[in-house]
């Protein structure tokens, strides 16, 4: 099928590349000339395992990039909207890019197509988009609006797209549902067919629930420390219960990224506007903020006043396998430490360039060994595999004090203690 993807961010590019790989004819559109230029050179502006290979495999015969939305929309059978919906000051979703795209689609509308919204949007937005398309079109041209929220995770985006746990289709007509099914005929996953508002709501409810799981396990980890229990075994013991499951029970410095914090805030706002105070979710966000302070308090317990102290941060990305530092708890922790006058040496395998844009005061190091030189404590904030295999014997020789605060319970505490480290994990 001839498909157009509006927006070449995470969701847009993964969607475009994977749909082209399946055999569709895909054009990805973006308003950023620099981005389109680099994509045409086969380069991707962010780190995502496996994505570049798929882009290269399909460009330029099945996958192309263009600044020209209008021409390409005219030729398309379906148009995916994958633009960002960031948080506004008050927590609500900023839909301005989405509405701009809707107007563009309206102006280009020439024959029947399905307009599919993949961006995370508050329930009711698809209908607003539909209205805008009608208002901006020549009139009397048939089209359908559909909602197909995306559940891919950064770091495993390609795998998540090709093998999703489920696919959600929200639409108003049989014709739209059948176009959606045809586009995704290569995926074998349960499909939930529903109305637009429900489809939109499923995305928010899913992200809010997962964020709740993370804050819940972080809260339990606090209690574990009070009572002498081990959070790793608590999570394991809970996870075997099929109703709970093992996923998203890893304690840490809190959830971050471009989705959970933004979507939780937006859902709180949506609930509030309808007259319901979503207290659980409010508390999930509060617990998440507290978690960063909790990690800092572990440092203080071991080092006393942090003013003037030199420490090392290993990991700046909001999780492993990404270079993304948006809402990263590691960045949040670093900011708290900087306010306290702590000096920080830092290393991340992929996220340092992005971190430099938001944290200019850190001393960025070429490798983890350099980052640990002369410091009084090492703080592990992102669960990169490479940190597990470091030569901690060698590192210990260059430290001022052998203290490791492992905010992800990533390292082997027992062997580090044997090496003479004061090892501090979370919830154990
Ligand atoms: C999340 C969802 O998992 C995706 O399904 C969704 O498509 C995406 O948001 C989105 O809305 O676009 P992502 O933000 O890439 O994906 O990252 P996750 O893997 O969900 O992790 C989110 C945060 O929670 C990270 O900071 C991670 O370190 C933290 N986390 C996750 C934990 O602290 N503990 C866990 O057990 C799991």
């Amino acid at each position: 099928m001839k498909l157009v993807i509006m927006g070449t961010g995470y969701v847009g590019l993964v969607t475009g590349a994977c749909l082209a790989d399946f055999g569709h004819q895909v054009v990805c559109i973006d308003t950023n000339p620099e981005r389109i230029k680099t994509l045409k050179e086969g380069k991707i502006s962010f780190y995502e395992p496996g994505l570049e290979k798929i882009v290269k495999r399909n460009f330029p015969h099945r996958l192309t990039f263009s600044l020209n939305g209008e021409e390409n929309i005219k030729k398309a059978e379906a148009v995916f909207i994958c633009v960002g919906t960031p948080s506004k000051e008050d927590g609500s979703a900023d839909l301005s890019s989405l509405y701009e795209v809707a107007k563009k689609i309206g102006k280009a509308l020439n024959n029947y197509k399905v307009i599919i919204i993949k961006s995370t949007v508050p329930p009711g937005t698809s209908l607003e988009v539909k209205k805008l398309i009608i208002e901006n079109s020549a009139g009397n041209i048939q089209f359908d609006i559909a909602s197909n929220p995306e559940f891919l995770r950064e770091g495993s985006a390609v795998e998540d797209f090709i093998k999703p746990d489920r696919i959600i289709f929200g639409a108003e007509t049989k014709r739209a549902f059948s176009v959606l099914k045809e586009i995704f005929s290569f995926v074998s996953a349960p499909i939930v067919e529903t109305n637009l508002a429900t489809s939109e709501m499923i995305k928010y409810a899913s992200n809010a629930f997962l964020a709740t799981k993370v804050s819940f396990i972080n809260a339990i980890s606090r209690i574990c420390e009070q009572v002498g229990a081990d959070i790793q075994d608590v999570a394991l013991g809970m996870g075997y219960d099929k109703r709970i499951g093992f996923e998203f029970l890893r304690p840490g410095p809190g959830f971050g990224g471009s989705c959970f914090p933004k979507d939780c805030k937006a859902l709180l706002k949506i609930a509030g506007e309808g007259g319901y105070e979503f207290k659980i979710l409010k508390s999930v966000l509060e617990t998440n903020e507290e978690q960063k302070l909790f990690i800092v308090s572990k440092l203080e317990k071991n080092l006393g006043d942090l003013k003037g102290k030199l420490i090392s941060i290993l990991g700046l990305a909001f999780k492993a396998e990404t270079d993304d530092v948006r809402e990263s708890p590691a960045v949040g922790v670093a900011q708290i430490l900087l306010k306290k006058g702590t000096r920080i040496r830092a290393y991340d395998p992929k996220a340092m360039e992005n971190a430099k844009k938001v944290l200019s005061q850190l001393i960025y190091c070429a490798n983890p060994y350099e980052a640990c030189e002369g410091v009084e404590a090492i703080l592990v904030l992102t669960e990169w595999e490479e940190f597990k295999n470091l030569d901690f014997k060698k590192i210990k020789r260059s430290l001022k004090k052998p203290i490791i605060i492992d905010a992800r319970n990533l390292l082997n505490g027992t062997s580090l203690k044997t090496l003479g480290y004061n090892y501090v994990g979370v919830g154990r």
Side-chain angles (χ1 to χ4, degrees):
M1 291 177 78
K2 286 197 172 67
L3 307 174
V4 157
I5 316 286
M6 304 296 282
T8 61
Y10 256 101
V11 173
L13 193 57
V14 173
T15 302
C18 293
L19 289 176
D21 210 38
F22 170 65
H24 293 303
Q25 211 57 50
V26 181
V27 186
C28 292
I29 309 287
D30 206 291
T31 49
N32 182 338
E34 195 50 41
R35 200 177 261 192
I36 292 297
K37 188 172 159 266
T38 42
L39 281 168
K40 279 182 173 168
E41 287 161 7
K43 286 183 234 144
I44 295 168
S45 56
F46 52 86
Y47 172 70
E48 181 60 43
L51 184 57
E52 200 165 286
K53 212 165 104 191
I54 300 185
V55 169
K56 283 195 172 135
R57 189 156 69 215
N58 290 283
F59 176 79
H61 48 292
R62 277 198 300 260
L63 177 67
T64 50
F65 304 101
S66 175
L67 284 164
N68 185 347
E70 196 173 334
E71 273 305 298
N72 288 296
I73 292 168
K74 281 191 194 306
K75 289 184 228 152
E77 292 162 81
V79 180
F80 281 89
I81 305 183
C82 302
V83 294
T85 53
S87 281
K88 285 204 277 201
E89 198 82 346
D90 66 355
S92 61
D94 181 349
L95 302 174
S96 50
S97 305
L98 183 89
Y99 289 155
E100 277 314 306
V101 166
K103 287 182 203 162
K104 235 181 238 170
I105 295 172
K107 283 178 191 141
L109 197 67
N110 56 338
N111 55 20
Y112 179 82
K113 349 188 160 274
V114 184
I115 313 302
I116 305 159
I117 301 177
K118 253 201 186 299
S119 309
T120 302
V121 294
T125 306
S126 298
L127 287 180
E128 289 298 318
V129 168
K130 184 179 171 183
K131 238 196 278 172
L132 273 175
I133 294 175
I134 294 171
E135 279 168 19
N136 285 276
S137 69
N140 225 5
I141 305 164
Q142 263 203 338
F143 72 98
D144 270 312
I145 195 88
S147 161
N148 168 231
E150 185 48 60
F151 298 97
L152 58 81
R153 288 163 298 178
E154 290 182 23
S156 55
V158 171
E159 180 80 2
D160 288 344
F161 189 89
I162 299 169
K163 293 184 196 151
D165 289 343
R166 79 309 206 178
I167 304 183
I168 311 296
F169 293 150
E172 296 176 305
T173 68
K174 274 196 181 145
R175 192 173 180 188
F177 281 120
S178 74
V179 169
L180 284 162
K181 275 191 227 160
E182 198 183 333
I183 295 172
F184 287 95
S185 55
F186 66 103
V187 182
S188 78
I191 294 175
V192 178
E193 284 185 25
T194 186
N195 62 37
L196 293 168
T198 307
S199 172
E200 293 164 328
M201 188 62 194
I202 288 169
K203 171 69 191 215
Y204 276 112
S206 301
N207 271 4
F209 186 76
L210 290 169
T212 304
K213 269 187 116 175
V214 175
S215 272
F216 184 85
I217 204 68
N218 282 338
I220 294 291
S221 77
R222 303 280 295 264
I223 309 169
C224 282
E225 289 191 10
Q226 290 167 3
V227 301
D230 184 328
I231 191 65
Q232 297 302 121
D233 288 347
V234 170
L236 185 69
M238 287 169 69
Y240 276 114
D241 186 327
K242 288 194 192 75
R243 295 168 302 174
I244 299 173
F246 295 107
E247 301 272 338
F248 280 69
L249 291 182
R250 278 177 284 116
F255 58 78
S258 63
C259 302
F260 281 5
K262 160 181 87 79
D263 293 348
C264 288
K265 284 179 205 152
L267 188 55
L268 260 186
K269 192 84 187 150
I270 293 162
E273 278 164 4
Y276 172 62
E277 193 190 353
F278 195 166
K279 287 186 192 157
I280 296 177
L281 198 56
K282 204 167 160 226
S283 166
V284 164
L285 283 165
E286 280 165 10
T287 303
N288 198 48
E289 280 312 300
E290 278 168 20
Q291 199 65 10
K292 290 174 217 158
L293 297 170
F294 176 56
I295 300 299
V296 171
S297 77
K298 283 176 178 285
L299 255 185
E300 280 169 331
K301 231 187 220 163
N302 286 278
L303 284 182
D305 187 0
L306 295 175
K307 193 158 188 241
K309 300 265 161 71
L310 181 68
I311 67 132
S312 166
I313 286 185
L314 297 185
L316 294 160
F318 82 97
K319 63 172 184 178
E321 292 302 321
T322 178
D323 62 359
D324 199 341
V325 298
R326 285 177 288 175
E327 300 274 338
S328 169
V331 171
V333 166
Q335 279 162 342
I336 298 169
L337 292 172
L338 288 171
K339 268 200 195 126
K340 288 181 182 283
T342 318
R343 292 176 300 132
I344 303 169
R345 294 175 74 79
Y347 170 77
D348 186 287
K350 296 282 176 204
M352 289 206 286
E353 285 315 306
N354 285 334
K356 281 175 192 168
K357 295 174 202 156
V358 286
L359 284 171
S360 57
Q361 306 94 313
L362 305 196
I363 305 157
Y364 291 94
C365 302
N367 58 61
Y369 297 97
E370 213 177 271
C372 294
E373 270 167 27
V375 303
E376 296 193 43
I378 300 169
L379 187 49
V380 179
L381 290 174
T382 311
E383 71 282 24
W384 287 102
E385 274 297 307
E386 78 168 70
F387 298 157
K388 278 192 191 168
N389 307 317
L390 295 176
D391 182 347
F392 282 101
K393 219 174 183 177
K394 175 176 154 187
I395 288 178
K396 190 160 171 267
R397 288 195 290 270
S398 70
L399 297 173
K400 204 162 165 195
K401 282 185 189 154
I403 300 170
I404 295 185
I405 313 287
D406 180 3
R408 297 276 184 173
N409 288 348
L410 177 75
L411 310 175
N412 185 335
T414 315
S415 62
L416 286 168
K417 279 178 190 161
T418 315
L419 286 177
Y421 277 96
N422 173 5
Y423 172 85
V424 182
V426 175
R428 50 203 331 206

